[in-house]
């Protein structure tokens, strides 16, 4: 009998062509090694599967600009919401999710994440990374 692999609780789509993004996700993967090995969290390079989130209307450029993820229920998370979901899953980082994801801070967290992501995206474009 074949053992069925459970669907990940979180599948994070990120851009390996961005050195900042790649380094951040590599660091996070090491912190989440047990969850990654158990298949609870999956990190995937959007450059290898550019149309992966097309059903949500998310283009390759959208995912290069901001982190995207899908949860176990199939819902799409974008930007700061992905960072918060990763922090919630990472031992010792739940306090970050609580601090930046609470209803009072979340609008500012999203705004700050989006501005940083815009700057990072523009920098990568200028460097010719895609």
């Amino acid at each position: 009998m074949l053992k069925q692999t459970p669907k990940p609780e979180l599948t994070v789509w990120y851009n390996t062509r961005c050195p900042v993004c790649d380094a951040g996700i590599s660091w996070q993967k090491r912190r989440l090694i047990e969850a990654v090995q158990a298949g609870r969290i999956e990190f995937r390079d959007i450059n290898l599967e550019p149309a992966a989130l097309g059903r949500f209307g998310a283009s390759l450029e959208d995912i290069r600009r901001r982190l995207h993820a899908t949860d176990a229920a199939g819902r799409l998370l974008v930007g700061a919401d992905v960072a918060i979901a990763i922090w919630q899953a990472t031992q010792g980082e739940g306090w970050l999710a609580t601090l930046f994801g609470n209803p009072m801070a979340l609008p500012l967290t999203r705004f700050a994440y989006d501005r940083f992501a815009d700057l990072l995206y523009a920098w990568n474009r200028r460097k010719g990374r895609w």
Side-chain angles (χ1 to χ4, degrees):
M1 179 183 286
L2 292 175
K3 183 179 177 185
Q4 194 170 21
T5 305
K7 188 173 185 177
E9 295 167 19
L10 189 67
T11 301
V12 179
W13 297 88
Y14 71 105
N15 180 17
T16 57
R17 293 185 184 168
C18 167
V20 174
C21 306
D22 195 40
I25 292 297
S26 292
W27 181 83
Q28 202 63 47
K29 277 197 254 187
R30 286 190 299 276
R31 302 238 341 148
L32 287 164
I33 193 73
E34 184 180 311
V36 170
Q37 288 175 344
R40 291 191 315 272
I41 296 178
E42 186 175 30
F43 293 92
R44 298 180 68 172
D45 178 6
I46 194 59
N47 296 295
L48 300 177
E49 304 173 68
L53 297 178
R55 72 183 184 274
F56 294 104
S59 70
L60 175 60
E61 291 305 304
D62 293 333
I63 300 157
R64 284 178 172 168
R65 186 179 295 271
R66 286 172 181 69
L67 279 173
H68 283 63
T70 52
D71 66 13
R75 293 178 295 229
L76 182 68
L77 305 171
V78 179
D81 295 328
V82 177
I84 291 165
I86 292 170
W87 290 331
Q88 287 172 331
T90 306
Q91 187 174 359
E93 293 183 0
W95 68 273
L96 289 167
T98 301
L99 178 65
F100 293 110
N102 76 68
M104 295 295 288
L106 190 55
L108 181 59
T109 300
R110 288 176 175 155
F111 179 81
Y113 176 96
D114 287 346
R115 297 304 68 80
F116 177 75
D118 289 340
L119 290 170
L120 190 57
Y121 179 81
W123 174 72
N124 278 303
R125 297 275 304 182
R126 276 193 309 279
K127 293 289 187 179
R129 295 203 170 92
W130 56 82

